[in-house]
Amino acid sequence: MAQRSETVEDFRLRARDWLSTHMPKAGSMPVREGIDPEEQNWLDARDLQKLLFSGGFAGICFPTEYGGQGLSREYQAAFNEESAPYEMPVALNVPSLGICSAMLLDMGTEEQKQKYVRGAISGELILCQFPSEPSGGSDLAGLLTRAQRDGDTYVINGQKCWSTYAFAADYATCLVRTDWDAPKHRGLSMIIVPVHDPATHMNRVQMVNGSSEFCEEFFTDLVVPAENLVGTENDGWTVGQRQLFYERQAVGGGSPYASGMTRARGTSHDSFTPVGMARKVGKEQDPAVRELVGGMHAQEVANAQLIRRVTKGMASYDYPAHSSSMMRLGSAETNQLRTDVMFELAGDLSVVGQVGDRSVLHQVGVAALMRQSASIAGGSTEMSRNMVSERVLMMPREYAADRDVPFKEVRRGR
Ligand SMILES: Cc1cc2nc3c(=O)[nH]c(=O)nc-3n(C[C@H](O)[C@H](O)[C@H](O)COP(=O)(O)OP(=O)(O)OC[C@H]3O[C@@H](n4cnc5c(N)ncnc54)[C@H](O)[C@@H]3O)c2cc1C
């Protein structure tokens, strides 16, 4: 357990020492026979998180009363640098820790924090989020999944979609409609639901890169205790906004709750970068390649500065919380440019390979197939721009015909 008096440098040295004896080196996780690689990733993440927890290095910026270390971002940054050569449970950063736990920390009851936040930090459970549905993506408040209060329970019916890694999770934060007489933003509630329940049918959706990370869920009379309500009934929009804030922060790269550095699984940290790729294809001395890689580096530096500045501005309340959309925009553009540069460098070599090929070049090809997701996940790029113009620059709001109209009277497609 960290001592509050410990300096960042002392913490770094203690982390370095602990990591070298306890965490597996990157790429050295044993393969579990007969288990789908995606499932394996999650089993590994649970084990790795438990290891971090036992060593006193889980939830570095989470409060100690919920199993965290109660330390500041500087300690987390030092830990990220020290843990780069090791396997880390980065799969848990988004959404389990950086989005759902972060939101529950602000909006949950004491019991919810003890159960879900502590559970996520200790590696005992994984959280995912269920906001999106076919009628509620960008227009999130237009969602149709309903929850009916019945004594001490809620009965939930409806459908959710695009739930990242729900198959691996235990509980989800689920946004539902509880009042159809209220205008659309005022009749919502946030309820924690078990992911695996006989009343929930889950499908996994295969994506173009071969992954089945997306799930869709169909609820038929799913019964959950009323104590699972987060915040107050019909004030789910406030809770959902908080969750969206953390999502933009996490997707934008500014979450204090993310631990470890993300890299393509099975690749060494240095090779899955534009510089690593230039070396890999033997073009690091080519002037045109150096210009390309240098330009990319400049964009990375500018984006890191943007994240730092916006994070600081929000912490001091100089910038409104909606400024997290700026980080979300900057990171989407940076991620897409990074993929494009690596794809250009790898060229034809990235589009040949076997399914499941873990080589760096093949990973670049797979990443290129998914480049567009950066401008959709966490709210689309267009919605982020709307958010910046309306809520940060205070330009006029977009016209909405359904504002202040009871939701049951709002016209919608069949
Ligand atoms: C990698 C990834 C992970 C995701 N993970 C999750 C998850 O874990 N849980 C979850 O619930 N959801 C998740 N999503 C879903 C994501 O939140 C939605 O896809 C996103 O909010 C967009 O909603 P939509 O797909 O319904 O598109 P739509 O809302 O139908 O939008 C379609 C297009 O219209 C544009 N558009 C819509 N309204 C406006 C407007 N008012 N002004 C300007 N342009 C507009 C959009 O920008 C977009 O280009 C994930 C998505 C991705 C790509």
Side-chain angles (χ1 to χ4, degrees), residues 112-135:
Q112 288 168 350
K113 290 186 229 184
Q114 287 297 349
K115 177 171 178 179
Y116 302 106
V117 178
R118 178 179 283 279
I121 292 172
S122 65
E124 291 302 325
L125 57 85
I126 295 177
L127 304 171
C128 69
Q129 50 166 349
F130 288 170
S132 302
E133 46 185 83
S135 304

Side-chain angles (χ1 to χ4, degrees), residues 58-75:
I60 289 171
C61 291
F62 279 96
T64 50
E65 54 269 47
Y66 306 117
Q69 308 306 316
L71 297 170
S72 64
R73 284 173 181 269
E74 291 72 30
Y75 292 79

